[in-house]
Amino acid sequence: MSTSDDWNAQVIAEFRANEGRVGGNFEGAPMALVHHRGRKTGRETVTPTLYLPDPEDAATMYVFASKGGAPSHPAWYYNLTTAGRAEVEIGTETFEVTVEEITGAERDRIYAEQARRYPGFAEYEEKTRGVRTILVLALHRS
């Protein structure tokens, strides 16, 4: 198991033990557990991620393929866009979502809001400048 797998396992355990709340750097931030199936392996994986609720549509949330500012997109991004569907845990509730990639000016607006709320996202964007654009996915409750 890799270091990131260990870290994810600890966050997932804390999330589930505390009805969707975690401490540390993420205390008070909206966190979801995204369930996705590997497009190559077929194995189900759960990834903790911060999200941004859509202010006008309670059935929509945005997730950000930041991978901590790494030069490549996270595997979960490819898994979600390939499948077009996923399952999400927020708090003690689990539900199905459809996946939509957000692009252009709408992507920029949504990402800027996330970076305003959580400055780490501005740092991730700076790290990836000229290498890749951090992608934004809308998860729509089915």
Side-chain angles (χ1 to χ4, degrees), residues 1-12 43 45:
M1 190 177 280
S2 72
T3 303
S4 66
D5 288 341
D6 290 342
W7 182 85
N8 281 350
Q10 290 174 356
V11 172
I12 291 165
R43 183 175 55 109
T45 304

Side-chain angles (χ1 to χ4, degrees), residues 1-60:
M1 190 177 280
S2 72
T3 303
S4 66
D5 288 341
D6 290 342
W7 182 85
N8 281 350
Q10 290 174 356
V11 172
I12 291 165
E14 183 179 359
F15 179 99
R16 289 178 172 158
N18 296 293
E19 299 180 333
R21 292 182 302 277
V22 297
N25 294 338
F26 303 113
E27 188 167 357
M31 180 171 280
L33 301 183
V34 179
H35 298 243
H36 50 96
R37 190 162 300 283
R39 69 193 185 290
K40 295 178 184 176
T41 66
R43 183 175 55 109
E44 184 177 314
T45 304
V46 178
T47 302
T49 185
L50 296 187
Y51 70 90
L52 178 68
D54 185 306
E56 297 171 11
D57 179 4
T60 298

Side-chain angles (χ1 to χ4, degrees), residues 9 31 35-36 44 49 55 64 66 82-83 90 97 100 107 121-122:
M31 180 171 280
H35 298 243
H36 50 96
E44 184 177 314
T49 185
F64 306 87
S66 64
T82 297
I90 295 179
V97 295
E100 173 191 12
R107 177 259 171 226
F121 283 85

